[in-house]
Amino acid sequence: MIWHFAMPGEAADPAILSALFALFFALTATVAYVTFTQLRSFLNRQRKEKLAPGAGEPVAKETVILRHASDWGLSKAEADVAIFVVKGFSNSEIAEMRGCAIATVKSQLGRIYQKSGLESRYQLIAFVTDEVCSMANETDAPQTQMRTRNVLPLVGRSKSAA
């Protein structure tokens, strides 16, 4: 059909039709490749801007939670609980450290799962671990350490224990 419109008076030669098809295929493949590489580059830049630590921010679990807290709509208390969960603390340990009831921690965890779209503490831990590993593999990520006490002030913590 293309041949009929492009060259109306000429006979359709199968070799020329094959060449035109190959040229069309090559051009389409080139456009698809360029589009794919540009999209991948854009998504990587966007992920780096969102997750890459800023000035002085290290690659840490706290960084991932704090970066996603605003997107998920977590309160400060929920973000603190999420950080303790990904650090491996139990509900009773979190309640003791925060100076609240275990039921409060469980309620906050339920809201964290609901807001984040994750279903369990294991999915939360896996998500954060994957993001930390991804951030650590970035070549431009600074290699600094974050002190947990700077992020999570604990009830009853003495200066000597901190």
Side-chain angles (χ1 to χ4, degrees), residues 5-99:
F5 289 116
M7 313 263 286
E10 309 256 341
D13 183 17
I16 293 176
L17 285 175
S18 296
L20 285 174
F21 178 75
L23 178 65
F24 176 74
F25 180 77
L27 289 174
T28 304
T30 302
V31 168
Y33 175 76
V34 169
T35 303
F36 174 74
T37 57
Q38 291 296 318
L39 182 61
R40 184 177 56 195
S41 174
F42 170 75
L43 291 175
N44 282 339
R45 265 193 324 272
Q46 188 178 32
R47 192 178 118 270
K48 284 180 188 179
E49 288 172 5
K50 182 176 182 179
L51 295 178
E57 279 187 88
V59 174
K61 295 174 183 178
E62 294 89 347
T63 305
V64 174
I65 293 293
L66 295 175
R67 292 280 180 174
H68 283 83
S70 61
D71 292 342
W72 292 341
L74 299 182
S75 68
K76 174 69 173 133
E78 291 166 348
D80 291 349
V81 169
I83 290 171
F84 284 130
V85 166
V86 299
K87 287 188 166 284
F89 292 103
S90 69
N91 290 353
S92 59
E93 291 171 324
I94 295 169
E96 183 181 329
M97 288 186 286
R98 297 197 71 239

